[in-house]
Amino acid sequence: MTKKILLVGESWVSSATHYKGFDQFGSVTFHLGAEPLVKALAGSAFELTYMPAHEAVEKFPFEMTGLDAYDAIILSDIGANSLLLPPDVWLHSRTVPNRLKLLKAWVEKGGGLLMVGGYFSFQGIDGKARWRRTPVEDTLPVTCLPYDDRVEIPEGTVAEVVKPEHPTMRGLEGAWPVLLGVNEVEVRDRADVEIVARLPDDQGGRPLLVLGTHGTGRTAAWTSDIGPHWLSPAFCEWEGYGRLWKNILGWLTEKQA
């Protein structure tokens, strides 16, 4: 049975100014950051819809029926403002449904929600992702710090699997490739919350993959990236990369007993 997955975010626009002696000119480039995931899920049991960050501002559903089209939603490297401030609110001071509250209600009735790390995930760079104390944070198995939560690891580190028997770890024997960073979060102290993978002790044992529930839905936090730069090229090319994401999505979309 095909599961429908919505990936929201993982895109950006870069503007550069080039100086050549007396002269200068500008250039603008558009980037997608989730191509490794798109490739890994191609032809699988998971049908992925990729909604870039700039499209999500207006196209992310405002009604429950829109969310109900998906079995799981991934929020990756997109700040809360992108869902809180569509043009109707930001430019025209009109009211619209609060899509963070809508997401919470969707999870409560059985949806699967995954937040993936990045500069605009959890609390993010300079605290600008702003997911702390939102309805979306209420659903997650972790809470966000009130400030810049990035943990940059330029020397690289390798994940430690805490629960190798968990379904999300199926087929992932041996050492994982190098990670270059995570968002730091705090794990909720609840019976349903599980830390499946973390950083080693010399990196503070910070959580990497945390699973939980909210209402009748399942939620997960992966605190590193979905691709570069926090995932090394070796990680993205690792044969376990696709298996890892399929395992996580499989668990996320499995209905609770």
Side-chain angles (χ1 to χ4, degrees), residues 163-172 176 194 196-197 209 211 220 240 243-252:
K163 295 193 173 183
E165 75 286 352
H166 194 276
T168 56
M169 296 293 104
R170 189 178 296 120
L172 297 174
W176 294 15
E194 300 178 278
V196 178
L209 177 61
L211 309 177
R243 183 179 294 276
L244 171 65
W245 291 108
K246 291 171 189 174
N247 287 351
I248 292 172
L249 291 173
W251 178 86
L252 201 64

Side-chain angles (χ1 to χ4, degrees), residues 6 60-61 63-71 73 102-103 106:
L6 176 62
F60 188 87
E63 304 293 339
M64 187 65 74
T65 53
L67 298 183
D68 285 342
Y70 302 100
D71 297 288
I73 293 174
L102 189 69
L103 263 172
W106 176 77

